[in-house]
Amino acid sequence: MEIGFIGLGAMGRAMASRLLSAGHRLRVWNRSPGPARDLAAEGAQAVGTPAEAFRGDVAITMLADDGAYRSIGLAGPVLDQAPRGMIHLNMATVSVELTRELAAAHAERGLIYVAAPVFGRAEVAAAGKLTIVAAGPEEALDRAAPLLDAMGQRTWRLGPEPTQAAATKIAGNFMIAAAIETISEATTLAARHGVAPETLLDLLTSSLFAAPVYKNYGAIIAGRKYQPPGFRLALGLKDVRLALAAGEAARVPLPFASVLRDAFLEAVAHGDGDLDWAAVAEVARRRAGSDGAAG
Amino acid sequence: MEIGFIGLGAMGRAMASRLLSAGHRLRVWNRSPGPARDLAAEGAQAVGTPAEAFRGDVAITMLADDGAYRSIGLAGPVLDQAPRGMIHLNMATVSVELTRELAAAHAERGLIYVAAPVFGRAEVAAAGKLTIVAAGPEEALDRAAPLLDAMGQRTWRLGPEPTQAAATKIAGNFMIAAAIETISEATTLAARHGVAPETLLDLLTSSLFAAPVYKNYGAIIAGRKYQPPGFRLALGLKDVRLALAAGEAARVPLPFASVLRDAFLEAVAHGDGDLDWAAVAEVARRRAGSDGAAG
Amino acid sequence: MEIGFIGLGAMGRAMASRLLSAGHRLRVWNRSPGPARDLAAEGAQAVGTPAEAFRGDVAITMLADDGAYRSIGLAGPVLDQAPRGMIHLNMATVSVELTRELAAAHAERGLIYVAAPVFGRAEVAAAGKLTIVAAGPEEALDRAAPLLDAMGQRTWRLGPEPTQAAATKIAGNFMIAAAIETISEATTLAARHGVAPETLLDLLTSSLFAAPVYKNYGAIIAGRKYQPPGFRLALGLKDVRLALAAGEAARVPLPFASVLRDAFLEAVAHGDGDLDWAAVAEVARRRAGSDGAAG
Amino acid sequence: MEIGFIGLGAMGRAMASRLLSAGHRLRVWNRSPGPARDLAAEGAQAVGTPAEAFRGDVAITMLADDGAYRSIGLAGPVLDQAPRGMIHLNMATVSVELTRELAAAHAERGLIYVAAPVFGRAEVAAAGKLTIVAAGPEEALDRAAPLLDAMGQRTWRLGPEPTQAAATKIAGNFMIAAAIETISEATTLAARHGVAPETLLDLLTSSLFAAPVYKNYGAIIAGRKYQPPGFRLALGLKDVRLALAAGEAARVPLPFASVLRDAFLEAVAHGDGDLDWAAVAEVARRRAGSDGAAG
């Protein structure tokens, strides 16, 4: 297929690469030109504006946040030049509010909007093993299926409304953040009573908590190795904010998300915004009066 | 071995039964006499006072809470009559403070105190598949090993201080409660955006959250089937309180535990103390203005 | 002076009326035309667009929220037609972020931006007794002083940066909301132990808490009379959100504000957004399992 | 009257001194003998055991916490030797639970229990200006009136159940703690936006918040002068715990109290337990990443 791809951060690049390998033709655009040049070496065509990439059968976007979508005109000008009937697969994690706004803007112009955010880090994307949660018109999902299959190991179809996928992704990230905070508090408590974090985690992830989220983040927290970041803490704060906003839009109080907001904000205030989001564990330690260096 | 066993609730009974099957001799005592009579039918000797059960090689206790330990004299009078060198295996979930107090009271009298609380419900206990977290003198743990092996599938040795096991069990239960609250908030949020709780949970427990705690409680919450209770919500509130107290003793703030306290207390205030503790999900729903019956 | 006045809700109208009484000439604009016609009867000139009101020596705005400012073009088009050197007194409660944005937009066009939000309800405004917190260039504050004096009993000058006044107003409203929640929790607790809310409040407002905020809101909460609203609960939620956003911008965690957010949101979810914001007390009562009608 | 007085800390001593000045005969007892000797110089009779002080017409107690009451036998042995019909005025801040327990223990022995905790610091007690909140049998309150009048400027009668006074005092202290936290968060927020804490507080305590609690604690927090403590932070944590326990007993969730618990605990974890409880403001500052010395 003819595909436009906008947003070539670590995730976007890996995903675009998978599409090239699967034989699709890509026009790619990124704010800073380096990543587009790199992909050109793999066969993509680097273009000079978002509008040039917003053509063909399908446009895929993978930008950092709501602000990035607004600033390059994806809620307006860029859409005006797109061919009617084109599908836009937004694979980023954005707000429910922006999702609603983009869906309306596309509908007005005869474009098809699909929200298809992903779970998984860059190395998972590179292996084509992402978990994709998609929502939009059934027929569009069918047409996009080969692309989604090239990038993910499984695509969950959540329904016709793009907000369904946006909310699912936001709820999932909230759950990860809550698991991280839970590990942080529990290991700080146990450590003060003479139980090493590793021991507590070995024990619990052998049975009730035998899941990747507890194993991976447990290991990071027990070892206090927050670099390089798998997912930056500042982005974690953004995602907690998305959860709170989604809750507010639907009138759902989320007390755990409120605690998370304050904890991530405290971490950012202490200069840890560029570490892995598991570094929120240092907030729990600091509040308890524990000091010492972490990597 | 000659074993005294005090506390024959659903858990205690199943554990005592395992010990009888393994060929040990048991003197059993319970506040209400029915369960002791039942075990007598399996070969145990029912005795009339806690002190009569607090004899032999090892005494095992499995009482409901700190109050039960204090009220039958296990911090004082009952110990006075026990044979020096006897091991007391306390397998209940009690406070760090009581653990410290009991350890001292035993040491003064030449008795050996081991904290060995368990993870697992009554049917797990009946199958001898409990996960046991034990702490106390190494030699006592060696001597008690055949008993622990009869009751559990694995015993984790956490160190020489009984408080290490108490804190581990408390931290573990806190983590379960936090997972339940996380599921509650996330599913309420998703539902309001058109995503069924089952869908969100299927998706997440297929990958990142593929652990029993999310699968089991997720199913209960999605189905809103809180009866019969696997673990009563009122006991859940007690356990959250133990976490807060353990935090206070060690000067560890636990903001998630504070949120849990208020949520479980709200559930009890609405008459749900005898439901499964997953019924705290109804608090999240009610706060969001959702109504309707749950079983 | 020649004054433009935009935004004639209950507050704006009362303020504009004071200015007319003090002998100033007003061009007034409001989204719905009724209030402008009423003021015309008092001598104001009703104009047809915001831009026509954004002229003369000073323009005063008193709009509901950030969105209203953006939607009528006060961050852009309207400014383009204003005379250089004109002072814009923004007397509404808006975000620190919008304040920063407006200050920059005015500076670019040679206009002078002053943030001057007010404490006080409509009847206080009608009596010219508002408390005004103003920040902006000293010389502009001097020029605007006669206007501020006509509307308020006292103007506090907080410094040269408009954000100083915005943050002060936001912090003040946060403090009021926190006092309301405090009264809500304390009276619910006391009532359950047999102490009437009135009694607790009489006692405390006779001494330590002898302040209008506790007396006024205490009376509303004790009497459960939330209508007519002095300040709508939905606006209270908005103001709590402004506090959280101001905290996030400056990296200041605000755990009380987080609790307030969830409580106000719960009140809105239960249909109480149009009651006085003291109706958040019903959230505390409901959580405690107390029922019964409130007016 | 013949009065026994137990507990001669800073508060108790000042109160006992007022009673001596009013012409009453006092038998005094304190755990450490120094204060009793000092009062003997003012005419009191120092006695060697609590039981010797628990005689005459009225016994007054002013101990630090629940534990102190239990440890000197005021829930048991000491009562056994007291004359029937004697009134016990407990003027300390203790739990609702202990209040209930003591009331029952006194009733069983034909003694009359009155809870009469006080608001005010030691210098207020020395001036006989305490605010007293009393609950117990009407006739006992009448008999004790001359004593209460000698110690306080006003006694509020809350009803026949001692728990009514205990809960009122606990609710009042919770409100003070909440005001302190509110000031802490608001001033930290304002300071980060360029508004000095003094300015914010001057402004607000000139109008809406014109109450001693905001003026006094505002000045302490703005000046960061936490020594000497008017009320120790560690006792503040104890009082927040009493509020949470009173809430739990009556099934009233108290989210603000939960936040306070974690904040005070964090302050204690950082070594500030012996400062004035307003030092919890340093927690808000630290969480926001602000440093610097405080006195």
Side-chain angles (χ1 to χ4, degrees), chain B residues 39-110:
Chain B
L39 275 169
E42 297 178 34
Q45 178 189 351
V47 296
T49 65
E52 289 172 77
F54 220 73
R55 291 207 199 132
D57 305 298
V58 174
I60 298 176
T61 57
M62 192 66 187
L63 298 168
D65 55 24
D66 282 25
Y69 277 83
R70 291 190 204 281
S71 72
I72 68 166
L74 277 171
V78 165
L79 303 188
D80 294 335
Q81 308 170 41
R84 290 182 68 88
M86 194 191 77
I87 296 171
H88 174 192
L89 285 185
N90 182 346
M91 303 190 72
T93 302
V94 296
S95 72
V96 167
E97 185 193 2
L98 180 67
T99 301
R100 220 183 303 265
E101 192 181 323
L102 289 176
H106 284 68
E108 280 169 23
R109 291 164 177 87

Coordinates of all heavy atoms in Angstrom, one line a residue, chain B residues 39-110:
Chain B
L39 N -12.8 -32.1 63.7 CA -11.4 -32.6 63.5 C -11.2 -33.8 64.4 O -10.4 -34.7 64.0 CB -10.4 -31.5 63.9 CG -10.1 -30.5 62.7 CD1 -9.3 -29.4 63.2 CD2 -9.4 -31.3 61.6
A40 N -11.9 -33.9 65.5 CA -11.7 -35.0 66.4 C -12.1 -36.3 65.6 O -11.5 -37.4 65.7 CB -12.6 -34.9 67.6
A41 N -13.1 -36.1 64.7 CA -13.5 -37.3 63.9 C -12.4 -37.7 63.0 O -12.4 -38.8 62.5 CB -14.8 -36.9 63.1
E42 N -11.5 -36.8 62.7 CA -10.4 -37.1 61.8 C -9.2 -37.6 62.6 O -8.1 -37.8 62.1 CB -10.0 -35.9 60.9 CG -11.0 -35.4 60.0 CD -10.6 -34.2 59.2 OE1 -9.4 -34.1 58.9 OE2 -11.4 -33.3 58.9
G43 N -9.3 -37.6 63.9 CA -8.2 -38.2 64.8 C -7.6 -37.2 65.7 O -6.7 -37.5 66.5
A44 N -8.0 -35.9 65.6 CA -7.4 -34.9 66.6 C -8.0 -35.1 68.0 O -9.1 -35.7 68.1 CB -7.7 -33.5 66.0
Q45 N -7.3 -34.5 69.0 CA -7.8 -34.5 70.3 C -8.3 -33.1 70.6 O -7.5 -32.2 70.6 CB -6.7 -34.9 71.3 CG -7.2 -34.9 72.7 CD -6.0 -35.1 73.7 OE1 -4.9 -35.4 73.3 NE2 -6.3 -34.9 75.0
A46 N -9.6 -33.0 70.8 CA -10.1 -31.7 71.2 C -9.8 -31.4 72.6 O -10.1 -32.2 73.5 CB -11.6 -31.6 70.9
V47 N -9.3 -30.2 72.9 CA -9.0 -29.8 74.3 C -9.8 -28.6 74.7 O -10.4 -27.9 73.9 CB -7.5 -29.6 74.6 CG1 -6.7 -30.8 74.3 CG2 -7.0 -28.4 73.7
G48 N -9.9 -28.4 76.0 CA -10.9 -27.4 76.6 C -10.3 -26.0 76.7 O -11.1 -25.1 76.9
T49 N -9.0 -25.8 76.7 CA -8.5 -24.5 76.9 C -7.3 -24.3 75.9 O -6.7 -25.3 75.5 CB -7.9 -24.3 78.3 OG1 -6.8 -25.2 78.5 CG2 -9.0 -24.6 79.3
P50 N -7.0 -23.0 75.6 CA -5.9 -22.8 74.7 C -4.6 -23.3 75.4 O -3.7 -23.9 74.7 CB -5.8 -21.2 74.7 CG -7.2 -20.8 74.9 CD -7.8 -21.8 75.8
A51 N -4.5 -23.2 76.7 CA -3.2 -23.7 77.3 C -3.0 -25.2 77.1 O -1.9 -25.6 77.0 CB -3.3 -23.4 78.8
E52 N -4.1 -26.0 77.1 CA -3.9 -27.4 76.9 C -3.4 -27.7 75.5 O -2.7 -28.7 75.2 CB -5.2 -28.1 77.1 CG -5.6 -28.2 78.5 CD -7.1 -28.8 78.7 OE1 -7.2 -30.0 78.5 OE2 -8.0 -28.0 78.9
A53 N -3.7 -26.8 74.5 CA -3.2 -27.0 73.2 C -1.8 -26.4 73.0 O -1.1 -26.8 72.0 CB -4.2 -26.3 72.2
F54 N -1.4 -25.6 73.9 CA -0.1 -25.0 73.8 C 1.0 -25.8 74.4 O 1.6 -25.4 75.4 CB -0.2 -23.6 74.4 CG 0.6 -22.5 73.6 CD1 0.0 -22.0 72.4 CD2 1.8 -22.0 74.0 CE1 0.7 -21.1 71.6 CE2 2.5 -21.1 73.2 CZ 1.9 -20.6 72.1
R55 N 1.1 -27.0 73.9 CA 2.1 -28.0 74.5 C 2.7 -28.8 73.4 O 2.3 -28.6 72.2 CB 1.3 -29.0 75.4 CG 0.8 -28.3 76.6 CD 0.6 -29.3 77.7 NE -0.3 -28.7 78.7 CZ -1.3 -29.2 79.2 NH1 -1.6 -30.5 78.9 NH2 -2.0 -28.6 80.1
G56 N 3.5 -29.8 73.7 CA 4.1 -30.6 72.7 C 5.3 -30.0 72.1 O 6.0 -29.1 72.7
D57 N 5.6 -30.4 70.9 CA 6.8 -29.9 70.2 C 6.5 -28.6 69.5 O 7.4 -27.7 69.6 CB 7.2 -30.9 69.0 CG 7.4 -32.3 69.6 OD1 8.3 -32.5 70.4 OD2 6.6 -33.2 69.2
V58 N 5.4 -28.5 69.0 CA 5.1 -27.2 68.2 C 3.6 -26.9 68.5 O 2.7 -27.7 68.5 CB 5.3 -27.5 66.7 CG1 4.8 -26.3 65.9 CG2 6.7 -27.8 66.4
A59 N 3.4 -25.6 68.7 CA 2.0 -25.1 68.7 C 1.8 -24.2 67.5 O 2.7 -23.4 67.1 CB 1.8 -24.3 70.0
I60 N 0.7 -24.4 66.8 CA 0.4 -23.6 65.6 C -0.8 -22.8 65.9 O -1.8 -23.3 66.5 CB 0.1 -24.5 64.4 CG1 1.4 -25.3 64.1 CG2 -0.3 -23.7 63.2 CD1 1.2 -26.4 63.0
T61 N -0.8 -21.5 65.5 CA -2.0 -20.7 65.7 C -2.4 -20.0 64.4 O -1.6 -19.7 63.6 CB -1.8 -19.6 66.8 OG1 -0.6 -18.8 66.4 CG2 -1.5 -20.2 68.2
M62 N -3.7 -19.9 64.3 CA -4.3 -19.3 63.1 C -5.6 -18.6 63.4 O -6.7 -19.0 63.1 CB -4.6 -20.5 62.1 CG -4.9 -20.1 60.7 SD -3.5 -19.3 59.9 CE -4.3 -18.7 58.3
L63 N -5.4 -17.4 64.1 CA -6.5 -16.7 64.6 C -6.8 -15.5 63.7 O -6.0 -15.1 62.9 CB -6.2 -16.2 66.0 CG -6.1 -17.4 67.0 CD1 -5.5 -16.9 68.4 CD2 -7.4 -18.1 67.3
A64 N -8.0 -14.9 63.9 CA -8.5 -13.9 63.0 C -7.7 -12.6 63.0 O -7.4 -12.0 61.9 CB -9.9 -13.5 63.3
D65 N -7.3 -12.1 64.2 CA -6.6 -10.8 64.2 C -5.9 -10.6 65.5 O -5.9 -11.5 66.4 CB -7.6 -9.7 63.9 CG -8.8 -9.7 64.9 OD1 -8.6 -10.3 66.0 OD2 -9.8 -9.2 64.5
D66 N -5.2 -9.5 65.6 CA -4.5 -9.2 66.9 C -5.3 -9.3 68.1 O -4.9 -9.9 69.1 CB -4.0 -7.7 66.9 CG -2.8 -7.5 66.0 OD1 -2.6 -8.3 65.0 OD2 -2.0 -6.5 66.2
G67 N -6.6 -8.9 68.0 CA -7.5 -8.9 69.2 C -7.7 -10.3 69.7 O -7.7 -10.6 70.9
A68 N -7.8 -11.3 68.7 CA -8.0 -12.6 69.1 C -6.8 -13.2 69.9 O -7.0 -13.9 70.9 CB -8.3 -13.5 67.9
Y69 N -5.6 -12.8 69.4 CA -4.4 -13.3 70.1 C -4.4 -12.7 71.6 O -4.1 -13.5 72.5 CB -3.1 -12.9 69.4 CG -2.8 -13.8 68.3 CD1 -3.5 -13.7 67.0 CD2 -2.0 -14.9 68.5 CE1 -3.3 -14.7 66.0 CE2 -1.7 -15.8 67.5 CZ -2.4 -15.7 66.2 OH -2.2 -16.7 65.3
R70 N -4.7 -11.5 71.7 CA -4.7 -10.9 73.0 C -5.8 -11.5 73.9 O -5.5 -11.8 75.1 CB -4.9 -9.4 72.9 CG -3.7 -8.7 72.3 CD -3.8 -7.1 72.4 NE -3.0 -6.4 71.4 CZ -1.7 -6.2 71.4 NH1 -1.0 -6.7 72.4 NH2 -1.1 -5.6 70.5
S71 N -6.9 -11.7 73.3 CA -8.1 -12.1 74.2 C -7.9 -13.5 74.8 O -8.5 -13.8 75.8 CB -9.4 -11.9 73.5 OG -9.5 -12.9 72.5
I72 N -7.2 -14.4 74.1 CA -7.1 -15.7 74.7 C -5.8 -15.9 75.4 O -5.4 -17.0 75.8 CB -7.3 -16.8 73.6 CG1 -6.1 -16.9 72.6 CG2 -8.6 -16.7 72.9 CD1 -6.1 -18.2 71.8
G73 N -5.0 -14.8 75.6 CA -3.9 -14.8 76.5 C -2.6 -15.3 75.9 O -1.7 -15.7 76.5
L74 N -2.5 -15.2 74.5 CA -1.3 -15.7 73.9 C -0.1 -14.7 74.0 O 1.0 -15.1 73.6 CB -1.5 -16.0 72.4 CG -2.2 -17.3 72.2 CD1 -2.6 -17.5 70.8 CD2 -1.2 -18.4 72.6
A75 N -0.3 -13.5 74.6 CA 0.8 -12.7 74.9 C 1.2 -12.8 76.4 O 2.0 -12.1 76.8 CB 0.4 -11.2 74.6
G76 N 0.6 -13.7 77.1 CA 0.9 -13.8 78.5 C 0.6 -15.2 79.1 O 1.3 -16.1 78.9
P77 N -0.6 -15.3 79.8 CA -0.9 -16.5 80.6 C -0.7 -17.8 79.9 O -0.1 -18.7 80.5 CB -2.4 -16.3 81.0 CG -2.7 -14.9 80.6 CD -1.6 -14.3 79.9
V78 N -1.1 -17.9 78.7 CA -1.0 -19.2 78.0 C 0.4 -19.6 77.9 O 0.8 -20.8 78.0 CB -1.7 -19.1 76.7 CG1 -1.3 -20.3 75.8 CG2 -3.2 -19.1 76.8
L79 N 1.3 -18.6 77.6 CA 2.7 -18.9 77.5 C 3.4 -19.4 78.7 O 4.3 -20.2 78.7 CB 3.5 -17.6 77.0 CG 3.0 -16.9 75.7 CD1 4.0 -15.8 75.4 CD2 2.9 -17.9 74.6
D80 N 2.9 -19.0 79.9 CA 3.5 -19.3 81.1 C 3.5 -20.8 81.4 O 4.4 -21.4 82.1 CB 2.8 -18.7 82.3 CG 3.0 -17.1 82.2 OD1 4.0 -16.7 81.6 OD2 2.1 -16.4 82.8
Q81 N 2.6 -21.5 80.8 CA 2.5 -23.0 81.0 C 3.1 -23.8 79.9 O 3.0 -25.0 80.0 CB 1.0 -23.3 81.2 CG 0.3 -22.4 82.2 CD -1.2 -22.6 82.2 OE1 -1.7 -23.7 82.1 NE2 -1.9 -21.5 82.3
A82 N 3.7 -23.2 79.0 CA 4.2 -23.9 77.8 C 5.6 -24.5 78.1 O 6.3 -23.9 78.9 CB 4.2 -23.1 76.6
P83 N 5.9 -25.6 77.6 CA 7.2 -26.2 77.9 C 8.4 -25.4 77.2 O 8.2 -25.1 76.0 CB 7.1 -27.6 77.2 CG 6.0 -27.5 76.2 CD 5.1 -26.5 76.7
R84 N 9.4 -25.2 77.9 CA 10.6 -24.5 77.4 C 11.0 -25.2 76.1 O 11.0 -26.4 76.0 CB 11.7 -24.4 78.3 CG 11.5 -23.5 79.5 CD 12.7 -23.5 80.5 NE 13.8 -22.8 79.8 CZ 14.0 -21.5 79.9 NH1 13.2 -20.7 80.6 NH2 15.0 -20.9 79.3
G85 N 11.5 -24.4 75.1 CA 11.9 -24.9 73.9 C 10.9 -25.2 72.8 O 11.2 -25.5 71.7
M86 N 9.6 -25.1 73.2 CA 8.6 -25.4 72.3 C 8.6 -24.3 71.2 O 8.9 -23.1 71.5 CB 7.2 -25.4 73.0 CG 6.1 -25.9 72.1 SD 4.5 -25.6 72.9 CE 4.3 -23.9 72.4
I87 N 8.2 -24.7 70.0 CA 8.1 -23.7 68.9 C 6.7 -23.3 68.7 O 5.8 -24.1 68.7 CB 8.6 -24.3 67.6 CG1 10.1 -24.7 67.7 CG2 8.3 -23.4 66.4 CD1 10.6 -25.5 66.5
H88 N 6.4 -22.0 68.6 CA 5.1 -21.5 68.3 C 5.2 -20.9 66.8 O 5.9 -20.0 66.6 CB 4.7 -20.4 69.3 CG 3.4 -19.7 68.9 ND1 3.0 -18.5 69.5 CD2 2.4 -20.0 68.0 CE1 1.8 -18.2 69.0 NE2 1.5 -19.0 68.1
L89 N 4.4 -21.6 66.0 CA 4.3 -21.2 64.6 C 3.0 -20.3 64.5 O 1.9 -20.9 64.4 CB 4.1 -22.3 63.6 CG 5.3 -23.2 63.2 CD1 4.8 -24.2 62.2 CD2 6.4 -22.4 62.7
N90 N 3.2 -19.0 64.4 CA 2.0 -18.2 64.2 C 1.8 -18.0 62.7 O 2.5 -17.3 62.0 CB 2.2 -16.9 64.9 CG 0.9 -16.0 64.7 OD1 0.1 -16.3 63.9 ND2 0.9 -15.0 65.5
M91 N 0.7 -18.6 62.1 CA 0.5 -18.6 60.7 C -0.5 -17.6 60.3 O -0.9 -17.5 59.1 CB 0.2 -20.0 60.2 CG 1.3 -21.0 60.6 SD 1.2 -22.6 59.9 CE 1.7 -22.3 58.2
A92 N -1.0 -16.8 61.2 CA -2.0 -15.8 60.9 C -1.4 -14.5 60.4 O -0.2 -14.3 60.6 CB -2.9 -15.5 62.1
T93 N -2.2 -13.6 59.9 CA -1.8 -12.3 59.5 C -2.0 -11.3 60.6 O -3.2 -11.0 60.9 CB -2.5 -11.8 58.2 OG1 -2.3 -12.7 57.2 CG2 -2.1 -10.4 57.8
V94 N -1.0 -11.0 61.3 CA -1.1 -10.1 62.5 C -0.2 -8.9 62.3 O 0.6 -8.8 61.4 CB -0.9 -10.7 63.8 CG1 -1.9 -11.9 64.1 CG2 0.6 -11.3 63.9
S95 N -0.3 -7.9 63.2 CA 0.5 -6.7 63.0 C 2.0 -6.9 63.3 O 2.3 -7.8 64.0 CB -0.1 -5.6 64.0 OG 0.2 -5.9 65.3
V96 N 2.8 -6.0 62.8 CA 4.2 -6.0 63.1 C 4.4 -5.8 64.6 O 5.2 -6.4 65.2 CB 4.9 -4.9 62.3 CG1 6.3 -4.7 62.8 CG2 5.0 -5.3 60.8
E97 N 3.5 -4.9 65.1 CA 3.7 -4.6 66.6 C 3.4 -5.8 67.4 O 4.1 -6.1 68.3 CB 2.7 -3.5 66.9 CG 2.7 -3.0 68.3 CD 1.5 -2.1 68.7 OE1 0.6 -1.9 67.8 OE2 1.5 -1.6 69.8
L98 N 2.3 -6.6 67.1 CA 2.0 -7.8 67.9 C 3.1 -8.8 67.7 O 3.5 -9.5 68.7 CB 0.7 -8.4 67.5 CG 0.3 -9.6 68.3 CD1 0.0 -9.3 69.8 CD2 -1.0 -10.3 67.7
T99 N 3.6 -8.9 66.5 CA 4.7 -9.8 66.2 C 5.9 -9.6 67.1 O 6.5 -10.5 67.7 CB 5.1 -9.7 64.8 OG1 4.0 -10.0 64.0 CG2 6.2 -10.7 64.4
R100 N 6.2 -8.3 67.2 CA 7.4 -7.9 68.1 C 7.1 -8.3 69.5 O 8.0 -8.8 70.2 CB 7.6 -6.4 67.9 CG 9.0 -6.0 67.9 CD 9.2 -4.5 67.8 NE 8.5 -3.8 66.7 CZ 9.1 -3.5 65.5 NH1 10.3 -3.8 65.3 NH2 8.4 -2.9 64.6
E101 N 5.9 -8.0 70.0 CA 5.5 -8.2 71.3 C 5.5 -9.7 71.7 O 6.0 -10.1 72.7 CB 4.1 -7.6 71.5 CG 3.6 -7.5 72.9 CD 2.1 -6.9 72.9 OE1 1.9 -6.0 72.0 OE2 1.3 -7.3 73.7
L102 N 4.9 -10.5 70.7 CA 4.9 -11.9 71.0 C 6.3 -12.5 71.0 O 6.6 -13.4 71.8 CB 4.0 -12.6 69.9 CG 2.5 -12.4 70.0 CD1 1.8 -13.1 68.8 CD2 2.0 -12.9 71.3
A103 N 7.1 -12.1 70.0 CA 8.5 -12.6 70.0 C 9.2 -12.3 71.3 O 9.9 -13.2 71.9 CB 9.3 -11.9 68.8
A104 N 9.0 -11.1 71.9 CA 9.7 -10.8 73.2 C 9.1 -11.7 74.3 O 9.8 -12.2 75.1 CB 9.5 -9.3 73.5
A105 N 7.8 -11.8 74.3 CA 7.1 -12.6 75.4 C 7.6 -14.1 75.3 O 7.8 -14.7 76.4 CB 5.6 -12.5 75.2
H106 N 7.8 -14.6 74.1 CA 8.2 -16.0 74.0 C 9.7 -16.1 74.5 O 10.1 -17.0 75.2 CB 8.1 -16.5 72.6 CG 6.7 -16.8 72.2 ND1 5.7 -15.9 72.1 CD2 6.1 -18.0 71.9 CE1 4.5 -16.5 71.7 NE2 4.7 -17.8 71.6
A107 N 10.5 -15.2 74.0 CA 11.9 -15.2 74.4 C 12.1 -15.2 75.9 O 12.9 -16.0 76.4 CB 12.7 -14.0 73.7
E108 N 11.4 -14.3 76.6 CA 11.5 -14.3 78.0 C 11.2 -15.6 78.7 O 11.7 -15.9 79.8 CB 10.4 -13.3 78.6 CG 10.7 -11.8 78.4 CD 9.5 -10.9 78.7 OE1 8.6 -11.4 79.4 OE2 9.5 -9.8 78.3
R109 N 10.4 -16.4 78.1 CA 10.0 -17.7 78.7 C 10.7 -18.9 78.1 O 10.3 -20.0 78.3 CB 8.4 -17.8 78.5 CG 7.6 -16.8 79.4 CD 6.2 -16.8 78.9 NE 5.4 -15.9 79.7 CZ 5.3 -14.6 79.5 NH1 6.0 -14.0 78.6 NH2 4.5 -13.9 80.3
G110 N 11.7 -18.6 77.3 CA 12.4 -19.7 76.7 C 11.7 -20.5 75.6 O 11.9 -21.6 75.3

